[in-house]
Amino acid sequence: MKPDDFLAQVTDQYARHVNPYQARLMAFAGFGVEVEAEGCYVTDHEGRKFLDCLGGFGVFALGHRHPKVVEAVKRQLEAMPMSCKTFFNSRQAELAERLAQVAPKGLEFTFFSNSGAEAVEAAMKMAKIATGRAGFVSTTGGYHGKTLGALSVTGRDKYRSPAQPLLAGVEFVPYGDAGAAEAAMGEGVAAFIVEPVQGEGGVQIPPPGYLAELRRVCDKVGALLIVDEVQTGVGRTGRMFGSEHDGVMPDLMPLAKALGGGVMPIGATMGTEAVWQGVFGQNPLMHTSTFGGNQLACAAAIATLDIVREEGLVERSAHVGALFLAALKEALAGQELVAEVRGKGLLIGIEFAVDEIGELIVALALKRGLIVAYTLNNPRVIRIEPPLVITEEQARWAVQTVAEAVTETTEMVASLT
């Protein structure tokens, strides 16, 4: 089939059976059909290669199809792909132990699910059961998922309002403001939920010590601290987990995205012995998942942890991320449309001074062979979130490409005024 015919077929299938409104949006933006990927590159239906600096919103920390993860999954597939849920699952046991070894001290237990939203839902449910309380405090601009519970603590009305009423007893405070957090925390609050760096909020970085202050506030009122590491975990910010920048141990820590090595979906909710006692002490089946902890996903995650250690990807994230950030700041200095460039590790945001500019930059970067995207809760910001295996040379090319896209956009805007 000719490339244009293939694109037309897939677009039509989307329009008739997936989401006609999404199909219309993607077609207008000029997106093609992804057909294969390897390392830091994605190839479309016309054979064009794109440098992936979005990385599936954090999924492809190891790049696409890392051979060691693929091989681990193939081996597991030949033995037993899914658990029958009757016997002990050795892969799940091994992965849980491995996570306890690398997580902040005190997070000894893990419940496995299939996605970040599921991991957050589990954390919220556990917080309510363990504390006997119902309320939550979250942050404006925070993003924790779009299922009903996770959406209830996601801080953007655009996604919340159409699904109201959501969970009652949820209050939002400004991100990075420990004083506002303390003022909102009362005896009816089960947990404060927060991201170490707000991803969808526009790569917002809190002041040093923010998480430590939240830890103090939660301890003061007897609430739990949920640190959502779905996007920041597994090396993304230059530490294995984002909470490590403040030396903080959460009570509950949802994980997903990068944990599956870009090959298998997996979610995980880590917690302390006290939380597990409160949730599972009287009923070991208080929370369950049919596919959670399946052998295929666990094999992928075990291989992922091996690769992160063997290839020094946490350290690489810090090193290449610092170079990437500095180069972007230099290349975009003086650009009137650019308000700020900020980041931590290989999670970088470019904020623009004008609405809807981010969408145009994304399209122009794609035209040049670079994949980036704006952040869901702050469309003024485009996110740079490449695989942790990106080379310095690839990073330099990405910086040049972004700079060219910004310059072209500036010229287009000037021509209209």
Side-chain angles (χ1 to χ4, degrees), residues 201-249:
V203 191
Q204 305 293 339
I205 301 169
Y210 175 60
L211 293 184
E213 276 296 292
L214 294 181
R215 175 74 278 172
R216 179 189 64 80
V217 169
C218 288
D219 290 343
K220 177 182 175 182
V221 301
L224 302 185
L225 177 62
I226 303 173
V227 177
D228 182 347
E229 297 265 14
V230 167
Q231 188 161 180
T232 54
V234 197
R236 175 55 55 186
T237 67
R239 297 286 183 92
M240 188 65 178
F241 301 102
S243 60
E244 293 177 8
H245 290 284
D246 268 5
V248 167
M249 185 203 78

Side-chain angles (χ1 to χ4, degrees), residues 252-320:
L252 288 157
M253 186 172 76
L255 303 171
K257 292 190 184 292
L259 186 59
V263 176
M264 291 296 298
I266 184 170
T269 306
M270 300 194 70
T272 64
E273 183 178 1
V275 171
W276 249 240
Q277 171 62 32
V279 176
F280 297 107
Q282 297 301 315
N283 183 355
L285 301 179
M286 180 60 74
H287 193 63
T288 57
S289 171
T290 299
F291 295 112
N294 68 77
Q295 284 89 335
L296 281 180
C298 289
I302 291 166
T304 296
L305 295 179
D306 286 339
I307 293 161
V308 168
R309 183 189 71 250
E310 293 166 0
E311 298 187 11
L313 295 186
V314 176
E315 297 79 10
R316 183 175 185 80
S317 174
H319 173 67
V320 179

Side-chain angles (χ1 to χ4, degrees), residues 14-15 18-27:
Y14 259 70
V18 179
N19 185 331
Y21 314 102
Q22 182 186 12
R24 190 180 308 151
L25 177 64
M26 293 178 69

Side-chain angles (χ1 to χ4, degrees), residues 97-161:
E97 182 177 46
R98 294 284 300 277
L99 285 171
Q101 291 169 352
V102 298
K105 188 176 181 181
L107 293 173
E108 298 291 340
F109 296 92
T110 303
F111 176 87
F112 292 105
S113 55
N114 310 282
S115 69
E118 287 181 61
V120 169
E121 292 280 353
M124 293 177 66
K125 178 179 174 181
M126 290 177 185
K128 293 183 72 169
I129 296 172
T131 63
R133 303 175 178 184
F136 291 92
V137 178
S138 186
T139 58
T140 303
Y143 184 88
H144 302 287
K146 292 189 181 124
T147 50
L148 282 178
L151 183 60
S152 298
V153 292
T154 287
R156 191 180 183 199
D157 286 340
K158 176 179 180 178
Y159 298 110
R160 291 168 46 82
S161 294

